[in-house]
Amino acid sequence: NADRSAFVDSIHADGTPSGVISLQTQVMILLWDCAENERRFILERYILDPPDDFVRIGSPFMSHFYYMVLVRLGRLDSVIENIRLRWGAMLDNGATTCWETFKGFYKDRLTRSYCHAWSSSPSYFLPSQVLGVSPITPAFGEASISPTPVHLRWAQGAVPTPFGVIEVNWEIKKEMFHLSVRHPEDIIC
């Protein structure tokens, strides 16, 4: 849509463009590097501050791709806040697993499925971004530990690998960053 400088969601069977513009479509365009120069810059602004008439992301599944774009834009803080809000609501309602939909999607129930594997984005972004654990070589033969504190004071967790668990514990005390890492001998960190 040239007037909006945004991508529409579809082209109808008769060839006319859809009038619907969603944040989801803009996310995928950015994720797959389909926009360049000024158009890319405009889409990045839309991701950070979407117009009121854009369809918003309403599912945990699509949130994963949205978070990928936010991380690329250096906005891990926005990812953490969204996780706190969305998955925090699940926890506030007694969840011990990740739901298929966010609270409020259904009017007569909390969600359709109370245990949905592809709704578990926090289990990817918290270890890889906040703890900073990522493989450098396949199967974690070498690993990088590069925590991103964002606005947190501490974090700890364990990341399973084929060689065993990498444990990371960090905290900020008196403006000093303290990091503790335990890893299997077979992994170079």
Side-chain angles (χ1 to χ4, degrees):
N1 182 315
D3 293 336
R4 301 296 307 279
S5 295
F7 289 84
V8 298
D9 280 10
S10 66
I11 303 295
H12 297 295
D14 66 3
T16 60
S18 168
V20 176
I21 298 176
S22 70
L23 199 52
Q24 293 88 324
T25 296
Q26 313 322 301
V27 161
M28 297 314 271
I29 294 294
L30 286 170
L31 189 59
W32 299 112
D33 295 321
C34 295
E36 296 178 334
N37 306 321
E38 180 65 21
R39 181 158 299 182
R40 180 175 190 79
F41 177 73
I42 291 168
L43 294 185
E44 288 173 354
R45 281 197 339 246
Y46 286 159
I47 296 301
L48 299 173
D49 187 23
D52 290 338
D53 62 336
F54 275 32
V55 174
R56 296 298 197 275
I57 293 171
S59 74
F61 174 74
M62 187 64 204
S63 294
H64 185 84
F65 303 103
Y66 174 55
Y67 295 164
M68 291 175 76
V69 171
L70 286 173
V71 167
R72 279 190 188 178
L73 295 175
R75 295 302 306 266
L76 182 59
D77 60 328
S78 295
V79 173
I80 299 304
E81 285 306 313
N82 195 272
I83 288 171
R84 275 190 177 137
L85 175 71
R86 299 296 202 140
W87 278 264
M90 292 180 200
L91 293 173
D92 290 344
N93 283 276
T96 57
T97 57
C98 298
W99 298 350
E100 181 180 9
T101 59
F102 292 125
K103 184 179 177 187
F105 184 82
Y106 292 105
K107 302 301 177 218
D108 62 336
R109 58 191 161 171
L110 292 172
T111 187
R112 182 173 62 185
S113 167
Y114 288 87
C115 187
H116 226 65
W118 46 94
S119 295
S120 59
S121 289
S123 67
Y124 171 79
F125 286 97
L126 296 175
S128 69
Q129 299 298 314
V130 175
L131 293 180
V133 179
S134 61
I136 294 175
T137 60
F140 277 96
E142 291 182 49
S144 170
I145 312 294
S146 301
T148 307
V150 204
H151 51 273
L152 302 172
R153 292 176 304 175
W154 65 273
Q156 68 181 32
V159 177
T161 77
F163 300 103
V165 174
I166 297 174
E167 296 176 11
V168 176
N169 186 344
W170 64 257
E171 68 179 318
I172 299 171
K173 278 187 180 175
K174 298 180 183 177
E175 312 228 2
M176 295 278 297
F177 186 82
H178 302 272
L179 173 67
S180 170
V181 177
R182 290 181 54 193
H183 61 87
E185 289 179 15
D186 294 334
I187 299 177
I188 299 168
C189 287

